[in-house]
Amino acid sequence: MTIGVLALQGGFQSHLTMLEQLGVDAIPVRYAQQLADCAGLILPGGESTTMTRLLESEGLWAPVASFVKSHPVFGTCAGAILLSKDARDERVKPFGVLDMVAERNAYGRQVDSFSAPLDLCGIGAKEYTAVFIRAPQLTHTSESVDILATENGKPVLVRQGMALAATFHPELTADPAIHRYFIESVVPNQKTIADKKVVAHV
Amino acid sequence: MEKGSFEVKVGLAEMLKGGVIMDVTTVEQAKIAEDAGASAVMALERIPADIRKDGGVARMSDPKLVKDIQKAVSIPVMAKCRIGHFVEAQILESLEIDFIDESEVLTPADEENHIWKQDFKTPFVCGATCLAEALRRIGEGAAMIRTKGEAGTGDIVEAVRHIRTIVNEMKNLTQLGQDQLMSEAKRMGAPFHLVEQVAKTGKLPVPNFSAGGIATPADAALVMQLGAEAVFVGSGIFKSDDPAKRAKAIVQAATYYQDGKKLAEISYGLGPAMRGMDVKDLSDDERLADRGW
């Protein structure tokens, strides 16, 4: 099984390193034809405007959109924005696989970036500290979006069927718990999970 | 919740990898840069080529320019302060600038001391010509290192020298035994714990970018193949004939830096690059890389 990491811009190398640590074959994806080799895809953090431009100029937007609608996918920060149905910003063109709005830079500028402890017991992680960098906030999450973790009452890790999204950067934390969850719980069960109706907690 | 930790500062540098940070002097240029796919912009009153031409003392930008550019774009906005001018840095921090470049492009304010960057919550990027200089800056708290190529020349030779030097020196460090590291740290004039860390990992503890003299997509791809993780482009874009097209091309080159065929497509019909100047024609006084240590 190979997991692709979209490698147009941003923190893709840290995702590749983390997948390798978990013993998963991982490849940087820069060309549409590489998607055929991937069982799932990670959309990393970075700038969602830059990624939108490159997805469009390289003819990648449509192939990636079609891939993320039919395969397991994990978006972090800018990647979460691209998985949402609405980024409230015409400069960004999201794929719409998660039924929610992702508001860019909702905490403010870098001076408001932060790290904070998260309760991730639900996915088997203890004493987890998450790093939020110019992070988005997820709003208008529909009831089909399952909220797996919150920070200060706001959803920060969510899942809808085969799509997982974090507003923070699990690839920058030493603990690979969330990548393991993606590999062990989202990727292999794609069929059954996709059919299951999940009710939101918040 | 913790703000301004080293981890959070380096986090933003990590997110800028694989991208292009562009110098802009107006709101209009900032929008062109964002639209072309820049991952950040550097708000400046004059681009380095003009600073060279005009002479005089080059200082931090007017806060009004910084604010106007912050309002115009959604990507991170950086700004430069003079080497050692910690008050300019305090002002930029209060403006909520996303990254401060303590830059040799501006006229140095202190010939002895760089800014003690650990006192700030805002991340800093600093230039370095070699590994020892990079580790001194990281020791002071820099969250990103960039080469100190000769800004405003359009000549890539110095940036290449710096990235090759840093990469080679890191490789050499990994060959040394633990018993040799203290002596090596003394010889380099760099903090021991950072020397030890590089010897163990073979890489800098912060992202390593390239700046200075990048004028074409091929220049960007060259420094990235040599080990730079992203590029800064200053005069190269807005001193060229078609800035929007060149900006977009350099953004593409930072992604497809290993693909010669793609780079040919990207470079096709771009029009003239900035005319530039040969670094060998600069007098010692005109060399910016010698500012700071």
Side-chain angles (χ1 to χ4, degrees):
Chain A
M1 179 185 76
T2 300
I3 299 295
V5 180
L6 191 68
L8 300 178
Q9 190 269 324
F12 53 85
Q13 188 55 52
S14 306
H15 280 290
L16 291 166
T17 306
M18 195 156 253
L19 289 170
E20 281 155 17
Q21 276 170 13
L22 291 172
V24 176
D25 289 333
I27 57 166
V29 172
R30 297 187 178 90
Y31 306 92
Q33 63 269 27
Q34 290 175 290
L35 292 170
D37 302 326
C38 300
L41 187 66
I42 292 182
L43 306 182
E47 282 304 317
S48 52
T49 50
T50 303
M51 291 181 203
T52 297
R53 288 295 165 277
L54 285 163
L55 285 164
E56 287 181 325
S57 68
E58 305 312 315
L60 276 165
W61 197 91
V64 173
S66 130
F67 185 92
V68 299
K69 280 169 188 157
S70 53
H71 293 81
V73 60
F74 177 22
T76 59
C77 197
I81 294 170
L82 289 175
L83 291 179
S84 73
K85 65 169 187 196
D86 184 357
R88 294 279 154 91
D89 188 332
E90 59 187 18
R91 292 170 281 211
V92 176
K93 194 174 166 191
F95 298 119
V97 295
L98 280 162
D99 194 2
M100 62 184 191
V101 173
E103 288 175 27
R104 298 181 66 206
N105 305 330
Y107 293 91
R109 299 187 166 277
Q110 172 64 12
V111 66
D112 294 309
S113 292
F114 62 98
S115 58
L118 282 192
D119 180 358
L120 285 180
C121 292
I123 66 163
K126 279 176 191 159
E127 294 181 25
Y128 190 92
T129 301
V131 182
F132 295 80
I133 307 293
R134 287 171 49 99
Q137 281 177 10
L138 310 178
T139 60
H140 302 81
T141 46
S142 86
E143 60 178 33
S144 50
V145 175
D146 195 13
I147 293 167
L148 303 177
T150 60
E151 197 283 321
N152 202 11
K154 299 183 179 80
V156 295
L157 180 67
V158 300
R159 174 176 177 176
Q160 183 176 6
M162 290 184 286
L164 180 69
T167 62
F168 52 96
H169 293 282
E171 77 283 8
L172 297 184
T173 302
D175 186 344
I178 299 175
H179 285 76
R180 186 178 291 124
Y181 172 77
F182 177 62
I183 297 303
E184 292 179 358
S185 300
V186 181
V187 174
N189 302 319
Q190 51 176 289
K191 285 257 153 44
T192 51
I193 301 280
D195 296 337
K196 193 175 131 198
K197 174 109 173 143
V198 191
V199 179
H201 306 315
V202 177
Chain B
M1 182 192 286
E2 194 188 358
K3 293 182 179 181
S5 66
F6 189 63
E7 183 186 33
V8 165
K9 292 175 180 176
V10 173
L12 180 56
E14 291 284 339
M15 292 313 124
L16 295 169
K17 283 182 176 177
V20 184
I21 300 148
M22 300 183 192
D23 279 2
V24 297
T25 58
T26 63
V27 165
E28 191 199 2
Q29 287 183 356
K31 285 181 176 163
I32 291 172
E34 179 176 54
D35 200 44
S39 54
V41 291
M42 178 80 71
L44 276 172
E45 278 174 359
R46 291 178 291 170
I47 54 173
D50 290 333
I51 291 175
R52 275 187 189 282
K53 204 174 67 190
D54 299 350
V57 176
R59 308 179 177 90
M60 176 190 81
S61 299
D62 189 321
K64 179 179 187 309
L65 175 75
V66 171
K67 279 280 161 204
D68 288 347
I69 289 175
Q70 283 175 324
K71 269 181 233 150
V73 296
S74 63
I75 54 180
V77 177
M78 302 188 174
K80 292 184 194 291
C81 71
R82 284 179 266 177
I83 290 174
H85 205 316
F86 54 87
V87 174
E88 285 187 348
Q90 289 164 2
I91 291 171
L92 292 174
E93 178 160 84
S94 81
L95 295 172
E96 302 196 348
I97 207 80
D98 293 298
F99 235 104
I100 298 173
D101 184 3
E102 186 184 17
S103 177
E104 70 283 1
V105 169
L106 304 184
T107 312
D110 190 330
E111 293 183 331
E112 190 94 14
N113 305 294
H114 284 250
I115 295 172
W116 183 250
K117 292 165 273 287
Q118 293 189 23
D119 280 350
F120 289 79
K121 288 196 181 317
T122 306
F124 278 74
V125 51
C126 289
T129 59
C130 61
L131 180 59
E133 191 174 3
L135 297 184
R136 287 191 288 269
R137 297 294 86 76
I138 296 166
E140 291 159 354
M144 181 201 292
I145 291 298
R146 56 168 176 76
T147 60
K148 229 170 163 183
E150 281 298 321
T153 62
D155 188 345
I156 194 71
V157 67
E158 290 299 309
V160 168
R161 190 194 319 280
H162 303 162
I163 194 81
R164 277 206 184 268
T165 302
I166 291 172
V167 169
N168 283 342
E169 288 176 338
M170 289 195 293
K171 212 177 284 170
N172 292 341
L173 260 193
T174 63
Q175 303 303 309
L176 298 183
Q178 181 71 30
D179 58 338
Q180 296 172 290
L181 294 180
M182 186 60 85
S183 163
E184 186 61 14
K186 180 186 174 212
R187 191 193 64 77
M188 292 170 71
F192 175 74
H193 72 286
L194 294 174
V195 171
E196 193 181 30
Q197 196 176 336
V198 173
K200 225 174 260 170
T201 62
K203 59 190 183 95
L204 290 182
V206 304
N208 185 14
F209 290 10
S210 186
I214 295 165
T216 67
D219 289 345
L222 175 64
V223 288
M224 289 188 71
Q225 285 200 28
L226 289 173
E229 296 169 300
V231 295
F232 287 78
V233 186
S235 318
I237 289 171
F238 290 100
K239 280 284 170 192
S240 73
D241 280 18
D242 189 342
K245 201 169 163 190
R246 183 161 296 264
K248 191 176 163 204
I250 296 179
V251 168
Q252 290 172 294
T255 299
Y256 296 98
Y257 66 95
Q258 291 162 310
D259 183 340
K261 190 162 170 262
K262 191 96 188 170
L263 289 168
E265 285 168 26
I266 291 166
S267 308
Y268 197 83
L270 265 191
M274 70 181 283
R275 185 165 182 283
M277 52 174 93
D278 189 327
V279 166
K280 287 203 294 295
D281 296 336
L282 298 178
S283 68
D284 286 354
D285 291 353
E286 292 170 319
R287 284 176 172 263
L288 303 179
D290 296 339
R291 295 171 166 181
W293 47 279

